[in-house]
Amino acid sequence: MTTLTNYIDGRMTAPAAGGYLDKIDPATGRVVARVPDSDGTDVARAVAAANAAFPAWAATPAAERSRVLLAIADGIDRRLDALARAESIDTGKPVTLARTLDIPRAAANFRFFATAILHTETETHATDHTALNYTLRRPRGVAGLISPWNLPLYLLSWKIAPALATGNTAVAKPSELTPTTATLLGEICQEAGLPPGVLNLIHGLGARAGMAIVEHPDVRSISFTGGTATGAVIARTAAPLFKKLTLELGGKNPTIVFADADLDRQLPSIVRSAFANQGEICLCGSRILVEAPLFDTFVERFVAAVSRLTVGDPLDPATEFGALVSAGHRDKVASYLDLARAEGGTIRCGGDRPTDLPARCADGYFLSPTVITGLPMACRTNQEEIFGPVVTVTPFRDEAEAVALANDSRYGLAASIWTEQLGRAHRVAEAVQCGTIWVNCWLLRDLRVPFGGMRQSGVGREGGDEAIRFFTEPKNVCLKL
Ligand code: TXE
């Protein structure tokens, strides 16, 4: 069994108090590693290292920071197979998905911000003929970066890369459920020549290690992705300490399918938008709204396509749909199936454990992709984030009702619209209250665009200039002419 370590001040370090958590492979239910159960002492050491490294890293020319981050990206590429396998064993996701999406995207995150900092501009404002203002943007110091279990290296690197590229140092914490790729990233940083202390990786529980990062007075910026309830705790803690905060939280995203949608072409993308990564992506569409004339045909074709997904051992390259991340999460998702039945919903496919799994996976946390119809929008199944392979399909009469149903949510992260009418696509995109709208596509990501949610899906934005602005402090200099 592997014993993972923290990465503090450039060294692989055991937790100070010597405590460890079990790391379980969700495909088998077996313990496969020990994870440091770090506490405030470990966090204090990591923050001290990050603080000590900050002045030199902030003063390092952008071209040199860029070179080191590009070397990290190359290191990720070189370890593609090991990282993809580790991500699959930690999360239960298909290894093919980790190989083609998670790990390449982690490398892309480093490359994107490594090169972005070579091309940034800051503002100048000329005040009539009397003064010239210019804006300086400087790194803020130690950043606390906390990420969830669904896209472990993908989301952690989405925070680490802009923080480091702009000259900050960081203390990052992956989810305790999915720690392995972060440990490998520490090794990659050592090989790439990242100066000690610039990035520190701490493992452990949210309430202990995570909270110690949020509470530490020397951590000036917090970037968090995770559940809405956790986001509220972090916001409450960080506000009186005047920390800069971005929160990327949950979603209950609408997928709006008009009767003129080109189903022959788009159905595979709509299925993917619902069930990629077992539905454990904050951007997955879990409320599918279908224009009434297409409803019956859509449900029939959608259910048929979902039933054809290859559910199986995540390490089998042919698998399209793997295990849920933990027993607790599987039970939570399964509890929503009971709720949906009690609320009067009809389960059109799934709703149970897949039957033809290999022996190795007999005790794994599997749940078949599930499609439910017949539920009103106000019910709990349609209002609460399930974050698993469960979608509802609901008919709508016209554009106005589609928009009203889409907006009938406390969340506002993402939506997708499927129609061949350009004007309608624009109108609906403007009316739906979400931070990201995809038209005839899903998860098509340009790393320059603002990314984040409205309402209970979070505050602040990540990506491109938004991330560069978040991790820097603007200062205006006014020069009288
Ligand atoms: O996330 P948590 P959980 C949603 C989804 C899921 C629910 C709970 O609905 O069912 O959230 O998932 C760290 N201070 N999403 O419990 O707890 C924790 O260790 C500081 C949506 O797994 O929010 C982990 O590193 N840190 C989501 C990270 O926060 C704390 C992705 C996320 O864990 C902390 C995951 C604290 N007090 C779940 N408590 C998305 N938006 O992508 C926990 N953490």
Side-chain angles (χ1 to χ4, degrees):
M1 183 167 8
T2 326
T3 297
L4 301 179
T5 53
N6 292 324
Y7 173 62
I8 300 176
D9 206 13
R11 284 188 294 274
M12 298 303 166
T13 312
Y20 287 89
L21 307 162
D22 284 342
K23 158 69 210 123
I24 294 172
D25 174 353
T28 63
R30 282 181 219 126
V31 178
V32 289
R34 299 196 313 151
V35 192
D37 182 7
S38 309
D39 60 19
T41 306
D42 302 295
V43 169
R45 286 180 186 167
V47 175
N51 242 336
F54 176 64
W57 182 246
T60 300
E64 172 59 12
R65 292 200 305 267
S66 175
R67 191 192 64 71
V68 176
L69 296 184
L70 288 173
I72 294 174
D74 291 345
I76 292 173
D77 284 347
R78 272 198 299 277
R79 294 218 198 174
L80 172 64
D81 289 335
L83 288 164
R85 191 179 157 82
E87 209 70 298
S88 174
I89 292 173
D90 271 6
T91 58
K93 73 175 69 203
V95 69
T96 303
L97 184 70
R99 252 188 143 269
T100 53
L101 176 75
D102 294 71
I103 308 306
R105 171 59 193 277
N109 288 338
F110 278 101
R111 285 204 176 91
F112 177 83
F113 287 105
T115 49
I117 52 163
L118 305 177
H119 305 274
T120 51
E121 293 162 1
T122 56
E123 307 90 314
T124 63
H125 299 88
T127 310
D128 302 323
H129 299 290
T130 55
L132 183 65
N133 296 272
Y134 61 90
T135 307
L136 292 174
R137 287 197 165 269
R138 293 288 179 251
R140 305 189 76 246
V142 181
L145 313 174
I146 301 176
S147 59
W149 43 259
N150 57 337
L151 302 166
L153 192 62
Y154 175 129
L155 289 176
L156 196 62
S157 57
W158 181 233
K159 299 180 185 305
I160 292 173
L164 268 46
T166 48
N168 299 274
T169 54
V171 176
K173 194 194 91 59
S175 167
E176 58 275 23
L177 299 176
T178 55
T180 311
T181 49
T183 300
L184 294 172
L185 179 66
E187 295 174 13
I188 291 168
C189 290
Q190 282 178 325
E191 290 159 13
L194 187 72
V198 171
L199 173 65
N200 304 272
L201 295 156
I202 293 286
H203 294 290
L205 297 170
R208 200 185 344 254
M211 208 56 187
I213 295 173
V214 176
E215 287 173 339
H216 199 295
D218 291 343
V219 175
R220 300 308 311 147
S221 323
I222 306 277
S223 175
F224 169 79
T225 300
T228 295
T230 314
V233 174
I234 290 175
R236 243 193 332 268
T237 310
L241 299 168
F242 305 109
K243 300 191 180 204
K244 202 170 177 186
L245 197 62
T246 144
L247 302 172
E248 203 270 280
L249 309 175
K252 189 75 181 175
N253 308 309
T255 300
I256 309 169
V257 185
F258 285 95
D260 68 333
D262 184 351
L263 273 197
D264 290 340
R265 204 152 56 96
Q266 310 290 16
L267 194 63
S269 298
I270 300 175
V271 170
R272 199 174 138 255
S273 78
F275 294 112
N277 206 47
Q278 300 74 242
E280 295 167 324
I281 301 183
C282 52
L283 303 164
C284 278
S286 51
R287 295 183 295 139
I288 304 180
L289 313 174
V290 183
E291 198 171 5
L294 183 67
F295 186 79
D296 291 338
T297 308
F298 177 87
V299 171
E300 190 185 318
R301 292 184 63 180
F302 184 69
V303 165
V306 171
S307 305
R308 282 196 298 272
L309 286 172
T310 312
V311 182
D313 185 341
L315 290 181
D316 180 341
T319 293
E320 294 171 296
F321 186 99
L324 301 200
V325 72
S326 67
H329 190 59
R330 189 265 326 267
D331 293 347
K332 176 193 145 180
V333 175
S335 77
Y336 277 97
L337 302 179
D338 297 336
L339 178 69
R341 289 186 188 99
E343 288 181 322
T346 305
I347 296 193
R348 307 295 281 255
C349 68
D352 48 18
R353 195 186 146 81
T355 46
D356 48 358
L357 292 167
R360 193 182 93 84
C361 298
D363 297 323
Y365 313 135
F366 290 84
L367 198 62
S368 302
T370 301
V371 180
I372 305 172
T373 55
L375 287 173
M377 199 44 64
C379 73
R380 281 182 55 206
T381 307
N382 267 327
Q383 290 295 323
E384 296 178 13
E385 186 187 39
I386 300 173
F387 211 66
V390 179
V391 300
T392 61
V393 193
T394 308
F396 65 82
R397 276 187 315 276
D398 54 19
E399 202 175 300
E401 192 183 23
V403 170
L405 290 173
N407 286 338
D408 184 0
S409 172
R410 72 183 84 124
Y411 294 106
L413 190 57
S416 64
I417 301 166
W418 306 82
T419 178
E420 294 298 301
Q421 284 191 35
L422 193 57
R424 175 151 69 195
H426 282 297
R427 278 195 305 277
V428 176
E430 192 173 339
V432 171
Q433 298 295 308
C434 288
T436 295
I437 311 275
W438 280 292
V439 178
N440 294 331
C441 60
W442 178 76
L443 206 61
L444 204 169
R445 293 278 292 119
D446 182 321
L447 302 188
R448 292 170 299 180
V449 307
F451 177 79
M454 300 178 180
R455 308 178 186 183
Q456 291 196 18
S457 291
V459 290
R461 293 290 183 272
E462 301 186 274
D465 287 342
E466 299 280 345
I468 288 175
R469 284 168 181 267
F470 175 75
F471 286 111
T472 54
E473 191 76 47
K475 179 196 286 179
N476 185 66
V477 179
C478 176
L479 185 77
K480 188 164 185 321
L481 299 178

